[in-house]
Amino acid sequence: MNRRYFILIPLFLIWLSACGYIAYQGQFPTQEQIDNAEILSLQIQHHYPTSEILQACFIYAIWIASYAFLFCSKYAVKHPFISYAFCSILPILLPLLSFVWAIDVPPYIAALIIVIWASSLFHFLILPFVLPIYRKYIYPQQSNQ
């Protein structure tokens, strides 16, 4: 196996841990359900939101797939600025959308927003320094000797 694909293992583990966090937060009821149960003195009827959690995990999977493209693609090595700009679409749009989502959200969407903001900070603060170092050791320059 080519060593440039080993980066997919940590990316998969990051995605798995983020999905685990989102799925864990899905077991808690929303504040609206708690308030309605207190007003009516009823027990909370909370059903696990499986389809919504799968959608949130799919959104983050697209994000991780863009990182896989950024790290593993030969096109991304030949055109680093274009590929980084292309992969920056989600880290720009999803935090902006999270301002709209953040109004009275269930806990699993709040977990997705936290994961999105943490990934955006990683994308813009750490990745520009890590990516050239990674490419220096994974894609060494061929010298004509």
Side-chain angles (χ1 to χ4, degrees):
M1 187 170 151
N2 197 338
R3 66 181 177 173
R4 72 178 176 192
Y5 295 118
F6 284 125
I7 193 69
L8 296 177
I9 296 169
L11 287 176
F12 177 71
L13 293 176
I14 290 169
W15 175 78
L16 198 62
S17 63
C19 289
Y21 176 58
I22 293 168
Y24 172 73
Q25 291 296 327
Q27 69 181 344
F28 299 112
T30 63
Q31 188 63 38
E32 181 181 351
Q33 291 172 336
I34 294 171
D35 292 340
N36 289 340
E38 288 176 0
I39 291 171
L40 301 174
S41 299
L42 298 174
Q43 188 176 4
I44 297 175
Q45 297 292 327
H46 176 67
H47 301 287
Y48 192 76
T50 306
S51 64
E52 290 88 356
I53 288 177
L54 288 176
Q55 289 172 3
C57 291
F58 180 72
I59 289 170
Y60 197 65
I62 293 172
W63 190 311
I64 293 295
S66 73
Y67 285 149
F69 168 75
L70 200 57
F71 280 107
C72 297
S73 173
K74 289 183 181 181
Y75 180 82
V77 173
K78 290 180 182 177
H79 307 286
F81 297 113
I82 295 172
S83 60
Y84 185 77
F86 176 72
C87 291
S88 295
I89 293 172
L90 283 177
I92 291 171
L93 288 180
L94 287 180
L96 292 176
L97 281 175
S98 71
F99 287 120
V100 176
W101 291 342
I103 300 170
D104 196 28
V105 295
Y108 59 90
I109 298 296
L112 177 64
I113 291 171
I114 291 170
V115 168
I116 284 172
W117 276 96
S119 297
S120 290
L121 287 175
F122 170 77
H123 183 82
F124 291 114
L125 297 179
I126 298 173
L127 195 63
F129 301 109
V130 171
L131 202 56
I133 295 169
Y134 172 81
R135 288 181 178 160
K136 178 181 176 183
Y137 292 109
I138 297 299
Y139 300 99
Q141 296 293 326
Q142 301 292 331
S143 62
N144 294 334
Q145 293 180 348

